[in-house]
Amino acid sequence: MEELKWVPSTVDVTRPSVARMYDYYLGGSHNFEADRAAAKQVEQIFPGVAQSAQANRSFLRRVVRHLVSEGVDQFLDLGSGIPTVGNVHEIAQHDNPSARVVYVDVEPVAVSHSNALLADNPHANALLADLRATSTVLSGARELLDFSRPIGVLIIAALHFVPDADDPYTKVAEYLSAFPSGSYLAITHATWDQLTEEERAEAAQVAQIYSSSDNQLTMRTHAQVNKFFDGMELLEPGIVAVNDWRPDSFEDYTSIYGAVARKP
Ligand SMILES: C[S@@+](CC[C@H](N)C(=O)[O-])C[C@H]1O[C@@H](n2cnc3c(N)ncnc32)[C@H](O)[C@@H]1O
């Protein structure tokens, strides 16, 4: 077992974590043997997984740039993951040095690594919290963010780890109801919509691998993803594959929907 200084004592390194598997797909080094083994199994079934993760990150980068250009200078990044190239605060503060960012993740490695990176950044911090605990997250976020001004809520590749039984629609609505008109919601979400029967069988195997991790995988349809945006104004081009959302370079098709909407 690896014993590294950056590993919080509460972490079970023998059980795959979706945060650390994703770090592996992105070429990061904050993952352990159990994470790599599960991630490699996924790669065998679905060789495009690393490319999809990159396309998901590119979407996030384009969205943050767009929102900063629209005057948004505060972000709440729910399920933010282990820091990697092009973190939200780096993109936002590049264009607006006073932009504020609160990262939230339930995975201790993600949060301790984020806070180490942000030690000298007074405008960004990371909370160890479950995004389903909306009031805990909101009270933590309030210490840095001004809830009387618009906030960009980012839930990128995280809602497919929240099953319907945990009522993700109500949770998302609770966040949005805490923020004023002019706030934005950006979501990416894995889907099976465009998969062939054969690919669906493969996706079911992938879901099975995730079931051994700290989070189950719940795929959702276009209509189910649309429901997260109830009462919001979707920006063009609506809910599309992340690689098709205002692309600035060519990226292969991904089975991940992405969309951004404004609170009227
Ligand atoms: C696939 S990663 C995505 C990371 C980052 N948002 C991105 O897109 O690059 C999913 C992240 O969501 C986090 N996550 C899953 N369920 C969560 C929950 N209930 N509360 C907070 N974070 C959660 C995981 O720990 C992981 O870091």
Side-chain angles (χ1 to χ4, degrees):
M1 186 188 304
E2 292 129 306
E3 284 187 22
L4 300 170
K5 286 203 181 96
W6 49 264
V7 184
S9 58
T10 50
V11 171
D12 176 1
V13 299
T14 63
R15 187 168 187 218
S17 128
V18 298
R20 302 191 306 260
M21 287 168 70
Y22 185 75
D23 177 67
Y24 171 84
Y25 301 141
L26 290 173
S29 55
H30 290 78
N31 47 71
F32 306 107
E33 191 46 46
D35 308 310
R36 291 189 286 274
K40 283 175 188 168
Q41 273 183 288
V42 173
E43 275 179 329
Q44 271 190 343
I45 299 164
F46 177 36
V49 64
Q51 268 181 336
S52 293
Q54 294 288 358
N56 179 65
R57 292 295 303 179
S58 306
F59 169 91
L60 172 62
R61 191 186 61 235
R62 296 194 300 279
V63 168
V64 172
R65 280 207 190 112
H66 176 71
L67 296 187
V68 172
S69 78
E70 291 290 312
V72 176
D73 62 0
Q74 312 187 86
F75 293 90
L76 179 61
D77 185 354
L78 300 168
S80 48
I82 293 169
T84 182
V85 177
N87 292 301
V88 172
H89 72 282
E90 291 162 349
I91 302 160
Q93 292 176 354
H94 177 270
D95 294 349
N96 178 351
S98 60
R100 293 177 175 240
V101 180
V102 172
Y103 294 105
V104 177
D105 206 287
V106 75
E107 207 285 323
V109 169
V111 175
S112 71
H113 191 46
S114 299
N115 277 325
L117 194 79
L118 298 170
D120 297 327
N121 194 322
H123 294 320
N125 66 24
L127 306 176
L128 180 63
D130 191 314
L131 68 88
R132 292 169 291 190
T134 46
S135 44
T136 306
V137 171
L138 287 168
S139 68
R142 205 183 276 278
E143 289 180 19
L144 194 68
L145 307 181
D146 173 359
F147 285 15
S148 70
R149 295 192 307 105
I151 290 178
V153 181
L154 312 167
I155 321 181
I156 307 300
L159 282 171
H160 45 238
F161 297 117
V162 182
D164 288 344
D166 293 346
D167 205 358
Y169 296 104
T170 303
K171 305 296 173 198
V172 171
E174 283 170 4
Y175 284 111
L176 268 299
S177 70
F179 304 139
S181 161
S183 293
Y184 286 85
L185 171 65
I187 287 176
T188 71
H189 200 296
T191 184
W192 287 7
D193 276 358
Q194 271 79 31
L195 302 189
T196 61
E197 279 308 308
E198 193 182 333
E199 288 166 336
R200 278 177 191 236
E202 290 169 358
Q205 289 178 51
V206 169
Q208 186 61 37
I209 296 166
Y210 274 99
S211 69
S212 71
S213 79
D214 52 1
N215 288 97
Q216 311 283 306
L217 196 53
T218 301
M219 299 297 210
R220 293 194 173 91
T221 64
H222 193 277
Q224 289 169 326
V225 173
N226 193 31
K227 213 173 135 196
F228 285 116
F229 295 100
D230 260 6
M232 308 275 294
E233 295 164 349
L234 276 170
L235 271 50
E236 289 297 326
I239 302 170
V240 293
V242 286
N243 49 290
D244 283 337
W245 197 91
R246 306 185 183 200
D248 54 14
S249 63
F250 175 79
E251 275 170 326
D252 269 336
Y253 173 77
T254 61
S255 305
I256 307 173
Y257 282 132
V260 184
R262 183 180 180 280
K263 180 173 175 176

